[in-house]
């Protein structure tokens, strides 16, 4: 047998193993509300090839490829446990098992590592929490996709309704079509049907009522059976507490804004300051996509090296706020054609850092250039550090943060030598450290941080909503603090 034959046989064997993992992962998700992860990447509803690619991607952050032959025994061990709702990272289980020298079996080690999610310790699934989307644009539709994807056993977040302004004939069909197909993020993973008579979109069995209203005051959500819901405002029309309070109608308990909040509205970056949300807080903001991209690595660098000052320059994809062709715009430069020009503009991300990281005393400045790409941006974070270091030390540290720290869901890491923006469409992390572009000279460090300003940000929004709803399930093995 030739080397090529050996390689092909090995691939077919791994395909067979990955195929056997799919029903186990699906059953754990449907019946026990357990999400199986591999180095923070969900394996739920993934194809055979996607599972194999996710295992191979581990080499980017762990230094070597992870094989399905290594992770399958841990997945099988989970099926024998009395698990409650949780997220379990079989990549981390495999990695920590390798370094454990106690001679435990895979089953014994797994039972110990996830003990907090089993038996008397396990969470009991509740009745779920209603969610309403106010607005159904770029972020609204991606958040809808994520809510539908995460419906699981039905005990978590439940997308009950979306509120939009009336759009005329065939409005419902057109909105369902935009949910079904996306020029950047591809096809919706599942089935979508429309019942125009009841003004309902059915997505993977989830009945989503479409409510037409031009103002929050027009809606009584209890009339649709909605109660104690979290409303996600995707319009950005209201940014302060007074404006957002209009949403606190019958049936709505909390309001989450998908834009930077003004005044005393808390700006939350999940992974950094979500634990500061007061239980009785009814109105909060998820800040901006760029704030979410820079704050986690900024916190990581400050924790390890200290940050004396910094500047962030974002090279940002164009958005709906800009004009397709030259036309009047109330803001400077944004009236010029977005797909034809680089457009210098402002960013509020630098000033928003203070809200998310109040203990960071370093002054942070920022500016932005909008460029003719439809999605994925890059933040160039230039930092003056509290001590001298080296490029190798910084990269080793950030790789470790992306793998094992409490920020591993926010910070990803790539060593790909030819990475470009389109490679990060669909990334679920707040930002991705580009190792190849990183510059360090003494106490100066420049980090290049890719981020899917649509999908990655939407994932951060969902994490905040899960947290305030009480359905943010713990992850095992627990990340190092």
């Amino acid at each position: 047998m030739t080397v090529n034959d050996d390689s092909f046989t090995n691939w077919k064997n791994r395909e067979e193993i990955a195929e056997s993992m799919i029903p186990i992962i699906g059953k754990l998700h449907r019946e026990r509300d357990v999400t199986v992860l591999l180095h923070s990447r969900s394996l739920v509803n993934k194809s055979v090839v996607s599972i194999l690619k996710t295992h191979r991607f581990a080499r980017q952050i762990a230094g070597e490829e992870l094989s399905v032959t290594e992770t399958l025994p841990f997945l099988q061990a989970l099926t024998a446990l009395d698990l409650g709702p949780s997220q379990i990272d079989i990549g981390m289980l495999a990695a920590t098992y390798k370094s454990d020298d106690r001679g435990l079996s895979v089953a014994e080690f797994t039972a110990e590592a996830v003990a907090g999610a089993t038996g008397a310790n396990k969470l009991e699934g509740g009745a779920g929490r209603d969610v309403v989307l106010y607005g159904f644009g770029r972020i609204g539709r991606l958040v809808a996709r994520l809510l539908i994807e995460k419906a699981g056993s039905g005990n978590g977040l439940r997308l009950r309704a979306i509120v939009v302004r009336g759009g005329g004939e065939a409005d419902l069909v057109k909105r369902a079509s935009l949910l079904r197909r996306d020029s950047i993020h591809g096809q919706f993973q599942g089935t979508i049907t429309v019942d125009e008579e009841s003004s309902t979109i059915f997505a993977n069995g989830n009945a989503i009522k479409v409510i037409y209203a031009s103002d929050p005051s027009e809606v009584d959500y209890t009339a649709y059976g909605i109660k104690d819901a979290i409303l996600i405002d995707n319009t950005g029309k209201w940014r302060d507490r007074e404006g957002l309070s209009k949403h606190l109608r019958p049936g709505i308990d909390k309001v989450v804004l998908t834009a930077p909040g003004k005044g005393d509205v808390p700006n939350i970056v999940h992974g950094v300051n979500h634990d500061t949300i007061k239980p009785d807080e009814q109105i909060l903001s998820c800040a901006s996509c760029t704030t979410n991209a820079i704050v986690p690595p900024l916190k990581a660098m400050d924790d390890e090296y200290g940050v004396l000052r910094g500047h962030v320059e974002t090279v940002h994809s164009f958005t709906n706020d800009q004009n397709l062709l030259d036309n009047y715009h109330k803001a400077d430069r944004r009236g010029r054609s977005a797909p034809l020009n680089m457009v210098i503009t402002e960013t509020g991300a630098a000033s928003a850092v203070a809200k998310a990281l109040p203990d960071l005393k370093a002054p942070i400045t920022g500016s932005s250039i909008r460029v003719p790409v439809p999605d994925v941006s890059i933040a160039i974070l230039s930092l003056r550090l509290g001590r001298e270091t080296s490029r190798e030390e910084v990269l080793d540290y950030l790789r470790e943060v992306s793998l094992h720290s409490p920020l591993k869901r926010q910070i990803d890491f790539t060593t790909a030598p030819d990475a470009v923006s389109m490679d990060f469409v669909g990334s679920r992390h707040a930002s991705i450290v580009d190792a190849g572009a990183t510059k360090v000279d003494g106490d100066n460090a420049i980090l290049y941080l890719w981020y899917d300003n649509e999908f990655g940000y939407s994932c951060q929004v969902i994490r905040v909503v899960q947290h305030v709803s009480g359905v943010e399930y713990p992850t095992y093995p627990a990340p190092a603090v």
Side-chain angles (χ1 to χ4, degrees), residues 252-405:
I252 303 299
D253 179 54
K254 294 181 185 294
V255 179
V256 175
L257 171 66
T258 63
K262 295 181 179 180
D264 67 343
V265 174
N267 279 250
I268 303 300
V269 174
H270 191 275
V272 174
N273 68 335
H274 66 277
D275 288 335
T276 66
I277 302 173
K278 297 175 182 178
D280 60 349
E281 179 60 77
Q282 288 188 288
I283 296 173
L284 54 95
S285 156
C286 290
S288 70
C289 55
T290 301
T291 303
N292 276 265
I294 66 173
V295 164
L298 186 55
K299 180 185 188 307
M301 293 297 286
D302 188 49
D303 287 347
E304 180 66 17
Y305 301 102
V307 172
L308 303 182
R309 67 172 180 266
H311 176 79
V312 60
E313 189 79 32
T314 71
V315 183
H316 199 291
S317 60
F318 63 80
T319 68
N320 273 331
D321 178 62
Q322 295 170 257
N323 289 335
L324 187 63
L325 294 171
D326 287 4
N327 208 347
Y328 174 80
H329 195 293
K330 64 181 180 179
D332 293 342
R333 306 184 200 246
R334 292 198 187 193
R336 302 300 298 278
S337 173
L340 295 179
N341 294 290
M342 293 190 291
V343 179
I344 298 173
T345 187
E346 73 283 344
T347 175
S351 59
V353 167
K355 280 193 170 185
L357 281 176
D359 294 336
L360 180 70
K361 304 307 179 186
I364 306 294
T365 57
S367 53
S368 179
I369 303 173
R370 297 287 180 93
V371 294
V373 295
D375 187 33
V376 180
S377 305
I378 189 166
I380 305 168
L381 187 59
S382 180
L383 302 174
R384 174 78 181 276
L385 304 177
R387 66 176 174 87
E388 293 193 352
T389 181
S390 66
R391 181 174 182 272
E392 292 72 22
E393 181 188 343
V394 169
L395 290 178
D396 285 345
Y397 169 65
L398 291 175
R399 181 188 290 109
E400 185 67 17
V401 167
S402 74
L403 273 172
H404 302 299
S405 82

Side-chain angles (χ1 to χ4, degrees), residues 411-461:
I411 300 175
D412 203 0
F413 189 92
T414 181
T415 58
D418 57 353
V420 294
S421 59
M422 286 299 291
D423 297 329
F424 304 104
V425 171
S427 169
R428 295 180 180 235
H429 288 79
S431 61
I432 305 101
V433 176
D434 191 314
T438 300
K439 307 281 192 298
V440 179
D441 182 10
D443 61 355
N444 290 298
I446 303 176
L447 307 182
Y448 286 73
L449 309 166
W450 298 102
Y451 58 109
D452 184 329
N453 48 279
E454 292 188 334
F455 196 74
Y457 176 67
S458 296
C459 290
Q460 282 287 88
V461 171

Side-chain angles (χ1 to χ4, degrees), residues 18-185:
E19 195 172 73
S20 72
M21 298 171 83
I22 291 174
I24 301 175
I25 294 166
K27 190 172 183 179
L28 286 170
H29 187 57
R30 287 190 308 275
E31 297 183 2
R32 307 191 198 180
D33 220 357
V34 173
T35 299
V36 177
L37 309 173
L38 191 124
H39 286 311
S40 300
R41 290 164 169 78
S42 173
L43 296 181
V44 176
N45 292 328
K46 294 296 187 290
S47 67
V48 167
V49 171
S50 292
I51 290 173
L52 292 174
K53 285 180 69 176
T54 305
H55 278 75
R56 179 161 171 73
F57 186 81
R59 78 193 190 285
Q60 297 280 4
I61 49 179
E64 59 181 358
E65 184 173 345
L66 187 62
S67 172
V68 286
T69 60
E70 297 176 77
T71 57
L72 177 62
F74 295 94
L75 186 59
Q76 292 171 327
L78 293 175
T79 63
L81 300 175
D82 181 25
L83 289 168
S86 55
Q87 299 185 105
I88 299 179
D89 195 319
I90 58 175
M92 289 301 300
L93 282 174
T96 51
Y97 182 67
K98 280 184 180 180
S99 60
D100 189 90
D101 58 3
R102 293 175 295 166
L104 299 177
S105 68
V106 167
E108 292 168 336
F109 181 84
T110 302
E112 179 183 276
V114 303
T118 61
N121 297 322
K122 71 179 183 180
L123 295 174
E124 294 297 333
R129 188 71 177 267
D130 290 351
V131 178
V132 172
L133 295 178
Y134 197 95
F136 206 50
R138 298 298 302 156
I139 300 302
R141 291 193 297 273
L142 291 178
V143 168
R145 285 188 175 199
L146 286 164
L147 288 168
I148 294 162
E149 171 194 301
K150 294 178 180 297
S153 64
N155 291 327
L157 300 174
R158 303 180 303 183
L159 177 55
R160 296 292 306 280
I162 63 173
V163 183
V164 293
R165 293 192 298 266
E169 188 178 352
D171 179 271
L172 193 67
V173 173
K174 290 178 180 178
R175 295 188 188 278
S177 183
L178 284 169
L179 178 61
R180 183 182 291 113
R181 303 176 182 87
D182 191 282
S183 300
I184 297 168
H185 301 282

